Amino acid sequence: MRAWQWTGTGNPLALATVPVPDPGEGEVLLRVRAAGMCHSDVGELDEPSWAENIHRCPITLGHEIAGEVVALGPGVTGVSVGDRCGVHPLGATVPGYGRDGGYAAFHVAPAYDLVPLPDGLPYELGALGTDAGMTSHHGVAAVAGVTAGDRVGIIGLGGLGQIGARIAVLLGAEVHAADPSPDARRLGAELGATRVVADAGELAGAGLDAVIDFAGFSATAQAAVRAIRVGGTVVMIGMGAHTSELVTADVIHQKAVIRGSSGGTKADIEAVYRYLRAGDITPVVEHLTFEQVAEGIDRLREGRVTGRLVVSM
């Protein structure tokens, strides 16, 4: 089968021909039906610091995976051939980092990491729900602890931010969002945001209970601190820059609680699947073919994506 692989930092994504893998003890073989594309793929390819988390070379990228079980390894119970599943991307080993990922026709996953797709949920939504959905839900609902009546800021309305903003609305929050893209700002209004601005700096003084930064730059982190109420929470999720600087006095005077959030749990994925199945979350998705994976990486690198790119197999 063909697979898009990482071959070292600074190298372009490589299209290789590799054997179809066999599932081992406690594993299943999935026919990949959809694989979401994430900006962290760009980090793996371009940023030297990411290499320490990649356990072998070459390795097939793609960590947002949904597919159909086609074979069971020894000792697997509770899973049947034909089951439709998403794959928890932060389970026993991480696809695209600790084992081959989903930019290929087949993928081996630990049976324990499977999350059943609800009937009627398309594979494409099942794929993006595993990371974009999980990470957004965990950051908003678990780490920020958003509840009804909260006033919440969302910085960045891209693939994760659009889902995070909608989840905050569904939880009953008053949402104030920021994104420089006119298309993203229109989307924010459609998601139910009370206020959508072009520059996160415009949220300064808003006195928000929490701000979730899905962009991850010095300017957005600083804007988040200035937007919270005294004692409010800033949740950092986006990694637009490797480092960020904050004005110490602002952090101190705002008594800011700054928390990082990465990934989430199977329960987060299940919650997102329920929202997606009910139509409460309808993310903007652009479908790519397998041959367009490298093109998708370039578009992510250049910031030419609104919503989420998903490769349909």
Side-chain angles (χ1 to χ4, degrees), residues 286 295-306 309:
E286 182 178 345
E295 173 190 331
I297 293 291
D298 287 340
R299 288 179 55 192
L300 287 167
R301 182 182 286 119
E302 297 162 8
R304 295 186 290 112
V305 177
T306 298
L309 300 179

Side-chain angles (χ1 to χ4, degrees), residues 4-51:
W4 289 99
Q5 295 194 317
W6 178 87
T7 62
T9 304
N11 295 337
L13 198 62
L15 184 57
T17 300
V18 300
V20 174
D22 294 318
E25 181 77 25
E27 297 178 334
V28 303
L29 180 66
L30 289 179
R31 182 185 298 277
V32 178
R33 297 298 189 184
M37 302 197 72
C38 181
H39 198 273
S40 60
D41 295 332
V42 177
E44 284 190 75
L45 290 164
D46 295 354
E47 177 55 53
S49 65
W50 287 64

Side-chain angles (χ1 to χ4, degrees), residues 190-238:
E190 293 169 4
L191 293 170
T194 298
R195 178 188 179 199
V196 187
V197 298
D199 188 330
E202 297 178 60
L203 300 177
L208 304 177
D209 296 295
V211 176
I212 300 94
D213 182 3
F214 287 97
F217 297 94
S218 286
T220 58
Q222 184 61 45
V225 171
R226 290 176 174 167
I228 57 171
R229 60 171 171 78
V230 173
T233 299
V234 173
V235 178
M236 301 178 72
I237 293 180

Side-chain angles (χ1 to χ4, degrees), residues 44-139:
E44 284 190 75
L45 290 164
D46 295 354
E47 177 55 53
S49 65
W50 287 64
E52 65 188 46
N53 296 315
I54 302 173
H55 296 173
R56 56 191 177 82
C57 181
I59 192 168
T60 302
L61 296 191
H63 56 271
E64 290 190 345
I65 304 164
E68 174 189 357
V69 177
V70 294
L72 307 178
V76 173
T77 60
V79 180
S80 300
V81 170
D83 284 355
R84 303 169 64 251
C85 302
V87 179
H88 182 212
L90 293 176
T93 57
V94 180
Y97 295 82
R99 68 176 191 271
D100 284 324
Y103 294 156
F106 295 92
H107 172 70
V108 167
Y112 179 78
D113 291 345
L114 300 181
V115 182
L117 295 186
D119 291 342
L121 185 68
Y123 285 113
E124 288 77 11
L125 295 182
L128 71 83
T130 62
D131 185 23
M134 172 190 71
T135 301
S136 301
H137 186 273
H138 192 72

